[in-house]
Amino acid sequence: MNKFIELRNNYFAKEQDSSFPLYFLKKYQKENLVDMLKSETVLNQFKEIMQFATKKEITESEIVKSLAYLGQNDYLDRYIVKLVVENHLLLTKEGFDKAVIEHLSKEKTGEAIVYALVDSCIECDRDILTKEMLDNLLKYHIKQLDVFSIIIDYLYHFKVAGFESAIYEWLKEEFPINIKIQLIDLLVELYSFEKLKQENIENLLPFQANKKLFSDYMAILNKEQLVKHNGLTILQSMFYGDFENSGKGNNGGMAVFLKSLGNELSNADEVSLVVTLTITNEWAPNQSLMNYYSDDHLFLRAPIYIDATNKDPFLKKEQLIKRAIGRFLKKLEIEPDIFHVRYLDNASKAVALLSKQLDKKLVFTLTPDPHRNMTNADGTLKIFDANEFFQKLNKIKIGDELISESDQIVGIGNHAVGKELESYFPQLLKEDKKETLWMISEGIKADENLEKVDEQLDRYKELKGINLKKKFFDRPIILNVGRLEQLKSQDELLKAWGNSSISDVYNLLLIGGDLENPSKDEMKMIHSFEEYLTEQPHLRDRFQHVGALSNEKIRIIEKEIMKHQGNYPQIYLCSSKKEEFGIAILEALSQKFLVLGPERGGVKSYLENDINGFLIDTSNWQTIAEETEIIIQQFKNNPIAFEKIQNAGEKTVKDRFSMKEIAKEFLLFYVSLERKEVNEY
């Protein structure tokens, strides 16, 4: 049996004094599955903090003791802040306040410690820092932007006056736009919008580069852009991407899905407003804080400073994100009735905390990630280094917390996927949760208007504009669309194609990634492509990598590829290690590609071998190559056979995954939740 599932079942089968993370950590330590030599002290501190958190009665002295552990590990810091916040009623001037002042009065207190302590003070509403201390902290940490940002948040929360001239000087510094917006918010909070020296701000370089951002932001501050709505308001968070940057950075299929879903839901009579919320760190010219994608579907970009170089960038920002989003919505006079979060991360947890703080309904889309990846192929527990273990433990903990806090839970897919969720989350079977899980698939926009688009656009001009030569279509093509990252395994796909007989017959086309301003992950993947092709120069003419494109352009390319299908099937191959659902796969099915998808994840809920596509082992390039070669040989010169499967794939999308039908399911789900709330009163 899967050892991780066994541990989950054992834990939830009986009432436990400890939390699952503590129970799990003890098991890992006992079996020496974490690198103990480098991390034994931190592991023991984790256990101590977790034990404090599960005690029926905890003392202030134990909370104060935990502060000494700050600064050694980012994940441990978050557990400590959570411990402080959840026990804020125990804090006293003689205990907690005194300890904080002692820590922050030291000359070289580390930035992680400063951040955690200031964050805790804000969240526990303890205004204990003198102006002199704040002055010193701001001067010392002015280049450490996370710390500078949290201290500015402290000034905002406690309305600390006496910094007006300093704020205008800070605005001249080369801070990111989001820090500058935070400083302007502070000026307005302390001294009013009317007293704001707008000319000083408008001339700042970031706002000269993006005048629309400045004008829209000023309109929000002056309450000229209030969002009028009267009825059911749904907020769906989307912290990985932007509607305008599909396929770039961490921007994947979720943005495509939520854009279409929001548009469809907002057309329903029962819905007054749909808000899709993201956090934007890098602002393109003319990119605004808010855009309407239909009359009642509003896309909001929250200007919160996030250090994108951090491996887990939302980790320590959980409470700050909660406060910042709450203020942003309040400025716009948006009051969501339902908050819908996705992903097991601290940004989703922040939105969940906000929903509970505002006494609103919380919906959570649940996926078993990282749960599916906690074991080896034989079911034994994987060995992780300490930091990777803490990262996974954090996600597992957030998942359990969100299940506990949610009013309703959504699983992606069919009944079989629901059963898999129950195996990883046995608490779903308990009396208080067994009626909360709804299974709803994701979907894609129907294809009705694409022929009109084709008529309006010069197809060849469009293809030329994205550097695809017509002769590239003369051979059959394997297509892969998605953001560039290790999980998507495009580098393994390139090797599978190039190191096998597949490249003798097929060209390979990859679409995705920001080629103008690539992230570290994108750079790494692009470099691996170039490195491989340098070793195999004869493959260059048969391979093309195109940067991220809009959905409309991808559809045009897919249609052009399908026009050239001959004795070999045109193939869409998703090489991801796992895929929770796969919007790009659905789109390829809708265009009649022969689809090969990963056997791990949720694709198996709609893709059946030799019926409407194929599930393959995407563990490495060898398995991809071997299984793809077998499929190609099966269909060589047999168009009747592969076209039957392609037609079945298209029918699967039309019958089960049309966005109009999926949106109806979500609408029923949201309306029933609203009615449930009314009935409770």
Side-chain angles (χ1 to χ4, degrees), residues 130-169:
T130 65
K131 186 174 183 301
E132 182 184 3
M133 288 183 69
L134 290 165
D135 266 327
N136 290 336
L137 288 169
L138 286 162
K139 287 174 185 174
Y140 188 77
H141 295 285
I142 192 168
K143 299 299 183 185
Q144 296 162 347
L145 296 183
D146 276 341
V147 180
F148 185 76
S149 175
I150 198 69
I151 298 170
I152 296 303
D153 198 49
Y154 185 99
L155 300 182
Y156 185 103
H157 182 81
F158 293 111
K159 297 180 173 58
V160 182
F163 286 92
E164 184 174 12
S165 60
I167 296 170
Y168 279 105
E169 287 303 310

Side-chain angles (χ1 to χ4, degrees), residues 459-471:
R459 185 190 301 270
Y460 295 107
K461 181 180 178 183
E462 197 69 43
L463 293 172
K464 186 178 179 182
I466 52 180
N467 299 318
L468 274 176
K469 297 177 182 177
K470 187 172 181 293
K471 67 179 182 179

Side-chain angles (χ1 to χ4, degrees), residues 476-504:
I477 288 173
I478 291 178
L479 174 66
N480 175 286
V481 179
R483 62 188 187 274
L484 299 181
E485 62 170 42
Q486 291 305 118
L487 183 64
K488 298 296 183 181
S489 299
Q490 289 98 336
D491 51 348
E492 294 292 311
L493 174 56
L494 176 59
K495 290 176 186 174
W497 169 77
N499 292 351
S500 68
S501 64
I502 302 170
S503 58
D504 295 339

